[in-house]
Amino acid sequence: MSALDVTKIRGQFPAFRRQERGCPVAYFDGPAGSQVPESVIEAVSNYLANTNANCGAPIGTSRDSDAILSQARQTLADFLGASDPLEIVFGANMTTCAFSLSRALARTWKPGDEIIVTQLDHDANVTPWVRAAESAGATVRHVPVDLATCTLDMAVYDELLSERTRFIAVGYASNAVGTVNPVREMISKGHAVGALTFVDAVHMAPHRLIDVAHLDCDFLACSAYKFFGPHVGVLWGRYQLLDELRPDKLRPAPESVPGKWMTGTQHHEGIAGASAAVDYIASLGDGESRRERLRVAFERIERHEEELLRQLLEGLKSLPYRLWGLSTRRDDADRVPTVSLTHEHIAPQELARQLAQAGLYCWPGNHYAYPFTTVAGLEPLGTLRIGLLHYNTSEEVARLLEELARLGTP
């Protein structure tokens, strides 16, 4: 299988023209939002220039808008491995989608019911369910994290499961430390006790192919701005569940799926851009169908990112920083190329500031992974997070390691 042509890829991203004090910018802030290729920018611009209308009217621009949104649902269904494009719901962002779903689910819960969340998740996959449980009088159970490896304690997870478990929310990959959770195993065990399952795939989406059919989850959400698109949330759910549940909506809004879940007028230009982002990724692969091209593209992406991650982790071994998370991929534990560091004497914000002056963009803080940074004792400063994506290069990683060495050594 051929490798990615990273030089050609970078030529499609206007962001790489940016310089900081004469240095080309290296973007290691992808976990907070990826850069966007020209094709996505053009899709957004083209919608606003030529097809800017609301849906459902017998006028040309409205019919075109209907067609663009319909095609986008099919494209995102291909992206997630869904069989029915009507199972794709668009929203402002993943957090908004989660709150909407949580309120609907809360109406089906009662005192004595239990839900399970984890300490390794982004708070958008914790607080919506906790608030919903509070409103229903249900009990919340938390799966702890092993701070030595930043992996979930699966023995405790098994103990928490019972006939009272109604709902389980888990992140596919940690946006703070890169851990890939054993979600398929957790889903299977959850279904065995009759629970519904929700997967936060926001951080996994730019790195690996997602397959909701293989995972066998009930709901899954991601955000286009993490996979080279605009700020749009995407929720997938089993059609029967989306149809049966009652989300908050206005009276004139559709009663059918997916319209009843898409509150108000949607971000049409953003949805057009999200569709273009999927097609951009597919353009990095080969095959007859979009799904096949995506599969090949993600194989190439994973191989390239793994090489960069090995280089980064190997270089960090000799530097005076604490690595939070797995130092390598193992047979029993997996990770994506997201790395969190702390230094004994230099705050993450100061490290990020000085790295930015050298054109190295990294992200400081708790990354909204508040459950993790709280139990790890990392509040209020958090960590310095380094995120690698398919457009990063070995030369950029070498620059970063050199600057980390200079800053971290007295």
Side-chain angles (χ1 to χ4, degrees), residues 102 106 109 115 128-140:
S102 72
W109 299 342
I115 71 166
W129 319 118
V130 171
R131 294 283 176 85
E134 289 172 349
S135 70
T139 301
V140 181

Side-chain angles (χ1 to χ4, degrees), residues 77-100:
D78 292 343
F79 185 63
L80 300 178
S83 59
D84 187 348
L86 294 180
E87 295 176 328
I88 299 295
V89 175
F90 295 108
N93 45 57
M94 178 270 178
T95 303
T96 301
C97 291
F99 269 115
S100 177

Side-chain angles (χ1 to χ4, degrees), residues 382 385 403:
R385 183 177 61 183
E403 193 66 16

Side-chain angles (χ1 to χ4, degrees), residues 176-225:
V177 295
T179 304
V180 175
N181 293 317
V183 291
R184 191 162 184 258
E185 175 188 351
M186 297 175 75
I187 290 165
S188 177
K189 290 178 176 179
H191 284 168
V193 298
L196 295 177
T197 58
F198 178 96
V199 176
D200 173 2
V202 171
H203 196 63
M204 180 62 93
H207 301 293
R208 309 271 182 88
L209 184 70
I210 295 170
D211 190 335
V212 294
H214 177 72
L215 292 176
D216 197 30
C217 54
D218 298 296
F219 305 96
L220 181 144
C222 58
S223 296
Y225 80 102

